[in-house]
Amino acid sequence: MSFINVQNLTKHFPIHGGLFNQKIAAVQAVSDVSLKIEKGETLGVIGESGCGKSTLGKTMIRLLEPTAGDVFFDGVDVTTLPHSGLMPLRRRMQFIFQDPYSSLNPRMTAGQMLSEVIRFHNIVPKADTEKYVEELLDTVQLRKDAKSRYPHEFSGGQRQRLNIARALAVKPEFIIADEPVSALDVSVQAQILNLLMDLREQFGLTMMFISHDLKVVEHFCDRMIVMYLGTVVERIVCDDVYRDAKHPYTQALLKSNPINDPDDRTELHILEGEVPSPRDPPPGCPFVTRCEYVEDRCHTDRPPLKDVGDGHLVACWPVTDPQPAAS
């Protein structure tokens, strides 16, 4: 079995209303998602804002409780564990949040935050805590005197380094990084990405990297899944994405990517149409309202993820099951 094995994971947020505040609908943030991550692999999760990327990551490690489905971590189904059974696994899987400031306690110094994590999980003997804190700060390229500073005294990039240090403090095996560079200046983004790549090699980490930046995912990850409206529409090796992407949504993302050459005046592709509401998604393909290759069956039947070769999965009827051309 794969190191991380997600099977039919679903997360719906209920909407309450009416006289007795009863459930009247649900926001279908994640719908029937299945994926696998091998030991030492980095899986990218790509998609536009609101497609369910962050909810997927938080549900996988039970920061949010799943509505349905199973998540197996190293063979253990974490979705069925009670709180007492889940706590030992918390050391092995960590989360790096998108906003480096709001995820830090403004009333605690960097040293206090790291020490709290270390003592709670009993990582090192109490007498060695301060030394271990200094080692963590050095690992993420922060000075030792940073342990006496509060979050507001750090820059955005330094705060994210502190978040990374906190995640590393418990010596995890699996880290979910939720858009860790999106809130940072462009000049700092490359530094944080390079740091994460070095740490991945140094500690042999397995990672899931969530982003809406296709170029970052292509550079950082081994494979990627593309999400749209809470579902996975394609899974592909990152090196093959520009050559072999087959789903119309993935192709639209590639065409809308900024061009590196300032002299290239090629017009960017604009994806037309409206994203359906996750409260009331279409019964067929979730991309049906914006797809240029739509067929009648796309409105009624949801396409399954099918292998089109070498583990490349696509959920699109015209791609995986093309209809014969009319004579």
Side-chain angles (χ1 to χ4, degrees):
M1 180 178 286
S2 301
F3 188 55
I4 309 294
N5 189 357
V6 178
Q7 299 178 357
N8 309 111
L9 190 64
T10 297
K11 177 59 180 177
H12 294 172
F13 294 97
I15 301 174
H16 295 90
L19 182 61
F20 299 102
N21 198 32
Q22 296 178 322
K23 178 182 175 181
I24 57 175
V27 175
Q28 301 180 27
V30 175
S31 299
D32 200 28
V33 169
S34 298
L35 60 88
K36 295 181 180 180
I37 308 176
E38 305 300 332
K39 186 81 170 179
E41 181 186 26
T42 299
L43 177 72
V45 182
I46 194 80
E48 57 193 310
S49 297
C51 70
K53 306 184 299 297
S54 298
T55 302
L56 171 64
K58 292 175 182 177
T59 308
M60 283 174 58
I61 63 174
R62 279 185 64 182
L63 292 179
L64 295 173
E65 290 296 325
T67 303
D70 299 290
V71 180
F72 292 90
F73 176 79
D74 200 15
V76 179
D77 188 353
V78 301
T79 57
T80 61
L81 290 176
H83 181 72
S84 58
L86 186 62
M87 285 308 297
L89 289 179
R90 291 293 189 196
R91 278 187 56 176
R92 302 178 64 189
M93 49 187 184
Q94 288 293 300
F95 201 95
I96 299 174
F97 293 91
Q98 178 177 357
D99 187 343
Y101 186 67
S102 64
S103 55
L104 298 174
N105 189 332
R107 298 184 179 182
M108 298 178 70
T109 64
Q112 290 171 338
M113 279 185 278
L114 293 175
S115 298
E116 181 182 51
V117 175
I118 295 165
R119 288 195 301 269
F120 183 83
H121 289 282
N122 196 27
I123 305 301
V124 297
K126 187 175 181 179
D128 297 334
T129 299
E130 185 172 354
K131 180 182 177 182
Y132 185 53
V133 167
E134 293 177 352
E135 290 175 355
L136 286 170
L137 293 174
D138 183 64
T139 299
V140 297
Q141 300 168 11
L142 289 175
R143 293 168 51 179
K144 293 181 180 179
D145 61 3
K147 63 184 179 181
S148 61
R149 292 158 59 188
Y150 289 89
H152 71 271
E153 299 179 84
F154 293 100
S155 66
Q158 289 173 329
R159 291 171 191 151
Q160 197 60 286
R161 291 177 190 273
L162 181 55
N163 273 310
I164 295 170
R166 185 174 58 182
L168 292 175
V170 294
K171 302 178 180 178
E173 300 170 51
F174 175 53
I175 290 181
I176 297 177
D178 183 13
E179 303 200 38
V181 298
S182 64
L184 306 177
D185 294 338
V186 175
S187 59
V188 181
Q189 289 183 7
Q191 299 174 20
I192 299 300
L193 286 173
N194 289 333
L195 173 64
L196 287 172
M197 292 177 72
D198 292 341
L199 295 174
R200 179 179 60 184
E201 297 299 322
Q202 180 179 351
F203 297 105
L205 297 171
T206 303
M207 297 186 70
M208 189 169 93
F209 189 88
I210 299 170
S211 179
H212 60 264
D213 191 328
L214 194 57
K215 289 184 179 295
V216 170
V217 170
E218 180 200 10
H219 172 71
F220 189 79
C221 303
D222 302 305
R223 289 184 302 138
M224 71 170 72
I225 60 172
V226 182
M227 289 190 68
Y228 186 82
L229 202 64
T231 66
V232 176
V233 297
E234 187 160 12
R235 187 189 77 182
I236 188 171
V237 175
C238 290
D239 291 340
D240 299 338
V241 66
Y242 279 93
R243 182 180 66 249
D244 293 336
K246 297 188 182 302
H247 196 279
Y249 178 59
T250 310
Q251 293 175 348
L253 290 178
L254 292 171
K255 292 175 183 177
S256 62
N257 241 0
I259 300 168
N260 293 328
D261 186 357
D263 297 324
D264 190 341
R265 300 302 179 183
T266 304
E267 186 176 352
L268 292 179
H269 176 75
I270 304 299
L271 189 58
E272 298 180 353
E274 294 294 330
V275 181
S277 170
R279 177 175 173 170
D280 186 26
C285 175
F287 193 58
V288 69
T289 59
R290 307 172 80 185
C291 182
E292 57 184 308
Y293 307 110
V294 64
E295 301 174 355
D296 290 341
R297 55 182 170 171
C298 300
H299 291 280
T300 56
D301 302 325
R302 175 155 296 191
L305 275 171
K306 284 191 176 181
D307 195 327
V308 294
D310 298 324
H312 180 183
L313 305 181
V314 184
C316 177
W317 289 122
V319 172
T320 61
D321 187 22
Q323 293 180 338
S327 57

